Amino acid sequence: MTALKVEDVVVEYKVTGRPTVRAVDGVSIHVEAGEVLGLVGESGCGKSSLGRAIVGLNPLDSGKVLIDGRSIAPLGRRARPVADRTVQMVFQDPYSSLNPRRRVGRQIQDAVPGRGGAARVRELLEAVGLPASAANRFPHQFSGGQRQRIAIARALASDPRVIVADEPVSALDASTRLQVAGLLSDTATAQGVALLMISHDLSGLRVIADRIAVMHFGRIVEVAPTDVIWAEPRHPYTRELISAIPRLGRDAPMPSAPERRGAVIRTDEEARLVECAPGHFVAAEALVAS
Amino acid sequence: MTVTEQALDTVDPVGSVDKRRWIPRWRLPAAWRRPLAIVGVLIVAFWVFVMIFAPLLAPYDPLAQDSARFLPPSPEHWFGTDGVGRDVLSRVIYGARISIPIAVMLVLLSLVIGATIGALSGYFGGGVDAVAMRVVDLFFAFPAIILAMAVSAALGPSLVNAVLAIVVVSWPAYARVTRSLVIGLRDSNFIAASRLIGASPARTLGRDIAPNILGPIVVISTLELGNAILLLAGLSYLGLGAVPPTPEWGAMVSEGSRVFYNYWVALFPGLAILSIVLAFNFIGDSLRDALDPRTSRAVQSMEL
Amino acid sequence: MALFIAKRLGAAVLLVIGTILVAFLLTAVLPGDAATARLGERAAADPELVAAMRERLGLDRPLYEQFFLYVSGVTRGDLGESVQTARPVMTDLQLFGPASAELALAATLIAVIVGGGLGIVAALRANGHLDNALRALSLGGVSIPIFWFALIATAIFSTQLGWFPSSGRLDAGVIPPPRVTGFYTIDSLLAGDLPLFWQAVTHLILPAIVLSAAMVGLLMRFTRASVLDVLGQEYIRAAEAKGLSGRRVVFGHVLRGALVPVITVVGTAFASLLAGTVLVEQIFAWPGIGSYAYRAASTLDLAAIVGVTIFVALIYIFVNLVTDILYGVIDPRIRRA
Amino acid sequence: MATLLDIRDLHIAVGGRALVDGVDITVEPGEVVGLAGESGSGKTLTALTALGFLPDNATTSGQVLLDGQDVLSLDTAALRRLRGDRVAMVFQDPMTSLHPMLTIETQLTEHQRVHRGLTRRQAREHAIELLDRVRIPAPHLAIRSYPHRFSGGMRQRISIASALACEPELLIADEVTTALDVTVQAGILNLLQSLREELGMAMLFITHDLAVMNVVSDRLYVMRSGKVVETGVTRDVLAEPQHEYTRALVDALPDTEVAR
Amino acid sequence: SAPAQSESEEPAVESLVIDKSFDLVTADPARMFETTGGIVLHAVYDSLLTFADGNAEEPLPSVASEWSVNDDATEYTFTIRDGITFSDGTPLTAADVVFSLNRVKNVQGNGSFLMSGLSVEAPDDTTVVITSEEPNTAVPAIVTSPTLGIVNSALVKENGGTDAEGAADSDTAEEFLNETSAGSGPYTIESFDTTTETVLVANPEYWGDAPVYDRVVLRNATAEAQLMDVQSGTAHVALDLGSDQIAGLGSDVIVSTSQSPTIFFVFLNADSGVSEITSNPDFREAVKYGLDFDGILELAGEGAERAYGIVPSSYLGALGPDGAVERDVDRATEAAGRVGGDLSVDLEYASDFSSNGLSMQPFAERIASQLAEVGITVNLKPGPIATTLESYRAGTEQMGLWLWNPDYPDSADYLAFGPGEVVGLRAGWAAGADPELEAVMAEVATETDAATRETLYQEFQQLHNEAGVIIPLFQPAASVVSASAIGEVKFDPVFSLDIAAIGR
Ligand SMILES: Nc1ncnc2c1ncn2[C@@H]1O[C@H](COP(=O)(O)OP(=O)(O)OP(=O)(O)O)[C@@H](O)[C@H]1O
Ligand SMILES: Nc1ncnc2c1ncn2[C@@H]1O[C@H](COP(=O)(O)OP(=O)(O)OP(=O)(O)O)[C@@H](O)[C@H]1O
Ligand SMILES: [Mg+2]
Ligand SMILES: [Mg+2]
C-alpha cells in the first residue's frame, strides 16, 4: 500500500484585511514506503505549507492526506493519538527544532513508544552517527549538523511510516549538507519509511531523491524519476530551474536567468498532470506550449 | 570517533548559528553587566541580613515611644526619632521585615495567577484567549491606583488588603507577558516536534514551554519586586496600606512628610525604599541583558 | 484604516462599558454610604434627611437599575453629579482633565527629551563608563519613590532655594487665561500674555520633573535598547558603508529605525502617567484628575470614581489608537493600502 | 596597472583569538576576485577592512592598501570619503540591508549628494537611471516606494544600484546571492557580470558556494580559519584543487555535471 | 464695634492669599455647614448677630441693631438695622431675614438642625421675632451662624429659591449662589470653587467698615503644602499648621496661637452588643487610669490644653484641673485584670483627616502604646473618613478617636455627648443608660439663669467623666501663621477666621 498519499490538498491562509493566500492549490502526490520523493520549487511556492499540512501542523482546506490508506487528523491542541504518530517531520532550522532546555536523550525518548526506551535511544543515536554519550547533553552542545542528526533520530524514534523533511540541510554548512541528507535518505530507505524531502536546491536532491516533484505557485507542475527530470525536463519552469544552477567545471557557462514573471494563474485544465512518459507527469499547459 | 563525527567537528557551531546576525556581535553589550549586578546583589544581601537579624541590629524597640519627639540624628539615635518618640533607625531596620517578604509574596501571587491565565490563554488561543485578553485589557485601561484605592477603601486599610489590591492590579501584566512568551513558543518547531510525537497540552506547557520562559519570567519578577515595593509604599503613603504602628517605610515617609524640616523622619525610610528597589532593578536589568533579545523585548513590554 | 479605527472604537465602547461595570461592582462592595458621607454631623443622625439624600442621589434604587440609568446617561454625555464638588462630573473632568493632561504631557516631553536623548547617548557609547553611569541613573529614575522624590524636590527647590513655586497651577488668585485648550501654558500664549505663560511654566516644571522621573528612566532604557538593536541591523552597516557622516547615520537612519518601539513606550507610559498623577498632584496641590480621583475614592463619590475611570480608560484607548496610527506613519510596512 | 587593493599580512584578533591570521590578497582594477571558505573562516572580516571596518576592540597588524594608501591608518573623515565612493559594498541579506522606513530614493541618493555634491534633482535622476540599469521595472515609480514592496531579488538589485551610485572602483559583494533562489541568483549573477563589463570596476566576491564562485570570479582565494590556504585562477583551482581542504570542499558538492 | 480704619492705610499685598485645607461644599448659606464654608460665608453674608475679636461669649449686634428676650427664653425680638443694603443695592428688610431663616429650615441641609424648634416672623419691616418651642438660651449664639446668613430674598427667589416647606426638593438656588453672592457682608464672591481656590472681593456697598484687603484668595492646600507655601511666600496666611510644623518656621512669619474650641476624645462603646469588653465599667476604669493624658497632650504640641471635661475651656461651665484623673498604672492594670480574658479591642479613626494641623494617627499610636502597658491590646483601625465616619455614626465602633467642633458657640451644643443624644448614641450610650446624668441634661436645657447653668454644666461634665464612656483628651492650639508683612492674624474661635478683620 502507498505509504503517503496526498489527494487534492488545498491550504489557504486567511489574514484579516488581506486577500486569502492559496498557498497549496490542489496538490496530489504519493510516496511509497522506502521511497524518497524530492519536492522543489522557488521560495514561497508553498512547499512548507504542503509539508506542514501533511503532518497535520496546518489544517487542510480541502483534500485528503492518507498514511497507509488511513487519514490523519490535524494536530489540534490535544495530545496526538498513537495511531497518528506514524508521520513525523524534520525541520529546516536545527536550532529551533530541539528544546534547548532538555537533554537530547530525553527528547528522543519521549518519542519512543512503550517503556524502557534508553536502549532504543542509544540505538537511534548510533544509527545517525552520534555516540551514545550524546544523550546526556543539551542541544547547544552540538553543531548544526549534529543537531539535525538528533532531529532525525527523534523522527525515527516513533517508528514512523512517513517523514516529511522541510529543507533539512539548507541551514547547514556546505561541507555537511551532503552527509546529513544522505544519512536521512539512507536510514529512511533502510527502514522502509516514505520520505518527502523538501528543498529549493534541485542539485542537492539529485543525489538522494528517487523521484522529484516540481512545485510552482502552489501546484505541482512536473513529477518524474530524478534522472528523467534532469535529462528531459518537460515543463518550462523545470527547465528554468535546471539551467539556473551554477556548475563546476572549467567551461561551466554563466547560469541563464529566466525572465521574471508575475504569479501564474492556471486553470484546472492547464494544471492537470498528464503522463507524458511512464512515470513522468507534467502539467497539461507544458504540452500545449511545446 | 567515527568518520562522520570527525567531519562534524570541523564545523564551527558558533559560526553557523545565525548568519544574519553577524553584525550584532560587533556591538551587542556583554550580557552580564557585572558592576551593577554585583552592587544589586550586595544591597539585597544586606537587606536580607538586616531583615533576618533585625532584633539583634535594632538599637531600640521599633514600637517603644520612650524617647523625646523629633530628636535629630545623634550618636544615641543615628536616624533621629519620629513624632511620637520612636527610634527611626530601629523602625527602618524592622521595616525590612515588612517590605521585602510582602513584596516577594505579592510578586509570587500575581505571578501564579497571571502566568497561569496567560499561559493557558496563549496556548489554547481562541475564545478563551479572547475573553481573557479583554479582561486583561480592562484591567490595563482601568486606572490601577484608583482600583487599589477602592479595594483598600472597601476592605479597610491593612497590609493584607493592600497586597490584595496590588495583586488585583498587577496580575494582568504577568498574564500578558506570559501569553506573549507562550505564543512566541507555541508554534516553534520544537513544540511542533514534541506534539507530533504525542505530547499532551499539560506536558507541552510543563515540559517544553515552562523551562523556556522561566528565564524571562524570573527577570520580570525581579524587576517587579522593585515595583511591588514602590506600589506598596505608595499605598501606605496614602494611608491605604500598612496600619500604624507597623514600621512600614512608605507610611514612615508619610509621617515625616508633615514636618519636612525634621527631614530625618522621611529621609531615611525613603532612602531604604530607594536602595532596595534600586538593587532589585540592578539585578533584574542585568539579568535581562543576559536574555535573548527577542524574549527581552517581551520583558520590556511588561514594565509599562 | 477606516475599518481598523472602527474596530478600535468598537473595542473602546466595550472597554468603557466593562470599566463602568467594574467600577459599579466595586462601589457596590464598598461599605461606606455616599449619602451619609455627604451629610453633616447632625444631619446624618436624622434618618429622614438621610433617606432624602439617598433618594436624591438615586441610591435607593437597585444596583442594576443605577447601572442602566448611568450607562444611558453616559451616552448622552451625562456622567452624573459629583458629591464632593456638587457639579456634574462632566464639568469636573473638563476642569481637571486638562490640568492633569498638561502635567502628564509636560512630564512626557521632559522624558522624551531627557530620556530619549540620554538613551541615544548611552547606546552610542554602549558599555563605556558613561553608559554604565546612565544605566544606573535610569534605574534610579525607575526606583525612586515618587512621593519621596516630590517631597525632597519641593523642600530643596521651592522652600530652600525658592526657584519654583511649591503648589498650584498659577499663583494664588491669578485669573487663568481664557480657556481654549485648558492648558494654561498654551492658553496664555494664545492670549498673548507672556508673564502669565512664564508663571504657568514655573508652576509646571517641578511637578512635571518629579512625575517624569520613572518615565525618563524607562525611556532611557528603551531608547538605548532600541537604538542598540537598530545599530546591529545590516542596513545601518550599509549606511555606514556608503560613507555617510556619523550624524546622518544616527539621525537619518538609526533614530528612524528605533522610533517605533519608543513610541509604544511613550504612549503606554503616558496613559499610565495620567492615572499615576495621584501622588504628585496630592503633594503639589495640582488641581487635576489624580487628586480628584483620590478625593473621590476616599469620599465614596461614586459618580466621580466612575467618571474618572471612564476618562482614564478613554485616554488609554485614545493614546493606543494614536500610537497605532503613528506606527503607520513611521513604518511604511505597517501602513495599509 | 597599479594594484587596486593590496592586503598585506593582515592580522585581526579579538580578545587574543586570531580571526584573520596573516592574509595577503590583491585585486587588480577590473578584476573579479573570489573569496571562498566555510562559515567563520574570516571572509567577511577580511573584506570589510577594505572599507576600513574593524571589529570593536580588535587588534590588527598588516596593511590594507587601496591604490597604495593604507586604509587602516586613515582618519574617519578620509574613510568616509572613501566609503560608498571608491569602495562600495553589497550585503548578503537583501531583506535587512535596506532601511525599511526610508524610501528607495533616499537610500539611493544620500551618498551621491555627499560624495558627488549633486542636487537632489540630479541625484534623483541618476537614481532612476540606476534602477533602470539593474532592471527594476517602472523606476520612476519604484523610487518613491519603500523596500518592503519589493521581493528579495529586487531588493538585492536595489542594493546593487545603491552601491553603484558613485561608480566605485571596487565593489565588495558579500554573499549577495546566498539568501536567494537559484533562478533569482542567476539573474543577479548575470547582472553583476554585465555591470562589470560596462563599468570596468573590480569586484571582491565572497561566497562559500563554489559553483557560484566558479562561474563568477577570475581569481580565487580559499580561506580556512583566518588563513588563505589556496589561491589561483578560479577554474583551475576548482578543477584541480591542490590543498586537501579545498578538495574536501569540492567533493562535498553534489555533482552537477549533467548535460541538458 | 471695630476701631475706625483710616482710609489711607495701604494694604501690604494686592491679593491676600490664605491657605486652607478645604472642606468646601457649597456657597449656599442654607446648605453650608462646614468650616471653610463658614469662613467664606461669614465674609459674604451678615447674620442677625455676630461675635468679634475672638470673644465667643457675648453676641454682638450685626444685621440686628438690638435684641431682647422674654423671661423664659422662648421669644427673641430683633430690630433690623437701618440702611443695610445687599451688594446689588437692594435694601435689607425683615422679610429677607424671615426668608433666609425659613429657607435654612426647609431645605433640610446639614445646618437645618439649627432651626429645629424655632420659628420666625416679621411683624413689620424692621422687626423679626424668633420663637422657640422650649426655653432656649442658645438662640443668640445660634443666629450668629453663617448658615443663618441673610440672603437677598428677591434675588434668590428669582433664581429658584424658596423658603416654603418642601424647599428641599423645590429650591434650586444653590447653583446661582455658588456663582454669585446675594449677601450684605464685607465681601462678595468673585469666583467659587470647592477644590482649588475661592476668590472674594470687597463689597463696595458694605454698610460697615471697609475691609483692608480688597481681594482675598482662599486656596485649598494640605498642611504639608501650606507649610511650604508660607515659607516660600506663596501664601500669606496658613490656617492648618500644627505646632510641630510651626516649630520649624523661620522668623519672617508671625504665629498667632490661641485656644481652639475643638475637643479630641476617645469613646469606649457602652453597647455590649458591640463589644463585651468596652462596655464593661471595669474596662472603662482601666482605660481612664491607663491613659497618660500629659503624654497625649505632648503630641498636640505647644499651646494645646488638656480637656478636663467635654465643654471647651472658654465656654460657660467648663471644668478646671481640680479632680482631674491622673494616670495610675496599678489601678488600671488591676481593673483590666478584673475584666479578664484577652483584652484586645479595635480603635477606629480617620486617617485622611486632620484638624489644627493634627492628624489622629500619633494619638492613636500613643493611646495604643499606653494601654499596652496596662495589659490592653489596642488594634488600630484607621480608614478614610468616609468609611470610618459611617461606622462611627452607626455606633458600631468598639473604640473611636474623634473630635468635635462646636456647631454654635454655646455649651448647650455639648449636651450632644449625653446618653441618647447624637454623640452618646455613637458610643453605644442609649437614652436611660445614666438617669442621673440625663436629669441634669434636661434641667440645663431649659434653665435660663447663667449662673445656675454654669453649675449644671459642671455637674453634667463631672457625671460624664465618671461614667467614662466618652473620654475627652485635649483641646488643640489653633494657630494662624501669617507673613510678617500682613501682621498678626488671629484665630477666631467661632468662625475660625474673620477675613474682614485681617489687617485691622
Ligand atoms: N502563516 C501564514 N500566514 C499567511 N500566509 C502564509 C503563512 N505561511 C505561509 N504563507 C504564504 O503562503 C505562501 C507559501 O508559503 P510556504 O512557506 O509554504 O512557501 P515555501 O515554498 O516553503 O517557501 P520557502 O522556500 O521560502 O520556505 C507564501 O506566499 C507565504 O507568504
Ligand atoms: N566582532 C567580532 N568579535 C569577535 N569575533 C568576531 C567578530 N566578528 C566576527 N567574529 C568571528 O570571526 C570569525 C570570522 O568571521 P567572518 O564573519 O569573517 O566569517 P565568514 O567567513 O564571513 O563566515 P560566514 O560565511 O558565516 O559569513 C568567526 O569565527 C566569527 O565568530
Ligand atoms: Mg519553506
Ligand atoms: Mg560572512
Side-chain angles (χ1 to χ4, degrees), chain C residues 42, chain E residues 404 412-425 441 460:
Chain C
R42 297 285 191 162
Chain E
W404 181 263
D413 196 40
Y414 291 84
L415 296 177
F417 284 81
E421 298 295 326
V422 175
V423 186
L425 285 173
M441 285 161 62
F460 162 70

Side-chain angles (χ1 to χ4, degrees), chain A residues 190-223:
Chain A
Q191 305 204 3
V193 176
L195 177 64
L196 177 65
M197 184 94 155
I198 298 175
S199 174
H200 62 258
D201 179 11
L202 192 50
S203 52
L205 280 179
R206 191 174 164 220
V207 194
I208 47 172
D210 298 316
R211 285 189 299 134
I212 285 180
V214 180
M215 196 171 185
H216 196 217
F217 289 113
R219 304 257 197 182
I220 301 291
V221 294
E222 191 162 4
V223 189

Side-chain angles (χ1 to χ4, degrees), chain A residues 13-15 21-24 41-50 58 92 166-167 198 200 215, chain D residues 181:
Chain A
Y13 295 105
K14 295 171 192 75
V15 181
V21 177
R22 184 170 273 221
V24 179
E42 66 191 359
S43 179
C45 73
K47 306 182 297 289
S48 298
S49 303
L50 176 60
N58 275 355
Q92 168 176 4
D166 188 359
E167 314 223 16
I198 298 175
H200 62 258
M215 196 171 185
Chain D
D181 277 331

Side-chain angles (χ1 to χ4, degrees), chain B residues 22, chain D residues 40 43-45 92 174-175 206:
Chain B
W22 63 270
Chain D
K43 306 182 294 288
T44 304
L45 281 183
Q92 169 177 355
D174 188 0
E175 315 221 18
I206 305 173

Side-chain angles (χ1 to χ4, degrees), chain B residues 186-237:
Chain B
R186 82 169 176 202
D187 294 323
S188 70
N189 287 337
F190 75 85
I191 301 287
S194 109
R195 286 175 44 229
L196 282 176
I197 56 180
S200 63
R203 219 175 149 106
T204 307
L205 276 170
R207 247 194 215 175
D208 291 325
I209 294 184
N212 285 294
I213 62 175
L214 203 65
I217 297 271
V218 166
V219 173
I220 289 167
S221 307
T222 318
L223 292 168
E224 281 296 302
L225 272 175
N227 276 348
I229 291 180
L230 282 183
L231 253 173
L232 188 76
L235 278 185
S236 292
Y237 179 85

Side-chain angles (χ1 to χ4, degrees), chain D residues 60-243:
Chain D
T60 48
S61 70
Q63 285 178 308
V64 178
L65 303 172
L66 191 75
D67 259 348
Q69 191 183 26
D70 190 357
V71 174
L72 295 184
S73 59
L74 289 179
D75 63 14
T76 336
L79 269 179
R80 268 192 206 126
R81 278 196 297 278
L82 182 93
R83 291 176 183 167
D85 190 15
R86 301 187 59 198
V87 185
M89 179 147 182
V90 183
F91 292 85
Q92 169 177 355
D93 189 347
M95 295 301 174
T96 59
S97 59
L98 289 173
H99 199 300
M101 294 159 210
L102 298 176
T103 56
I104 305 298
E105 175 174 351
T106 315
Q107 308 197 47
L108 283 184
T109 57
E110 49 185 356
H111 51 311
Q112 291 188 50
R113 299 178 60 199
V114 172
H115 296 305
R116 294 281 143 112
L118 299 186
T119 62
R120 184 180 293 262
R121 190 110 166 245
Q122 291 167 321
R124 190 182 139 81
E125 259 151 40
H126 187 217
I128 294 179
E129 218 174 281
L130 286 165
L131 287 177
D132 195 41
R133 184 175 257 170
V134 298
R135 320 233 199 309
I136 298 287
H140 50 285
L141 289 179
I143 199 162
R144 273 188 266 143
S145 316
Y146 291 87
H148 71 279
R149 298 215 172 255
F150 299 92
S151 70
M154 302 268 256
R155 284 193 220 185
Q156 202 57 296
R157 285 161 190 266
I158 294 169
S159 298
I160 292 171
S162 165
L164 294 178
C166 300
E167 297 175 357
E169 295 154 55
L170 176 63
L171 181 72
I172 300 171
D174 188 0
E175 315 221 18
V176 287
T177 60
T178 311
L180 303 174
D181 277 331
V182 271
T183 49
V184 183
Q185 164 173 292
I188 298 284
L189 295 180
N190 278 295
L191 175 68
L192 283 173
Q193 173 92 346
S194 60
L195 285 171
R196 181 172 75 102
E197 279 160 14
E198 265 174 65
L199 305 170
M201 64 184 178
M203 199 148 71
L204 185 57
F205 193 94
I206 305 173
T207 183
H208 58 257
D209 188 334
L210 296 179
V212 169
M213 191 56 93
N214 190 41
V215 298
V216 171
S217 66
D218 303 327
R219 259 181 335 110
L220 166 71
Y221 292 85
V222 180
M223 288 185 71
R224 187 193 189 189
S225 334
K227 290 196 173 72
V228 173
V229 295
E230 187 164 4
T231 175
V233 174
T234 307
R235 300 201 174 198
D236 293 342
V237 172
L238 294 182
E240 287 162 28
Q242 299 299 310
H243 194 274

Side-chain angles (χ1 to χ4, degrees), chain B residues 12 25-26, chain D residues 14 17 19 38-45 55 175:
Chain B
D12 170 15
R25 272 186 259 143
W26 294 50
Chain D
V14 172
R17 186 171 150 232
L19 304 176
E38 69 191 1
S39 195
S41 56
K43 306 182 294 288
T44 304
L45 281 183
E175 315 221 18

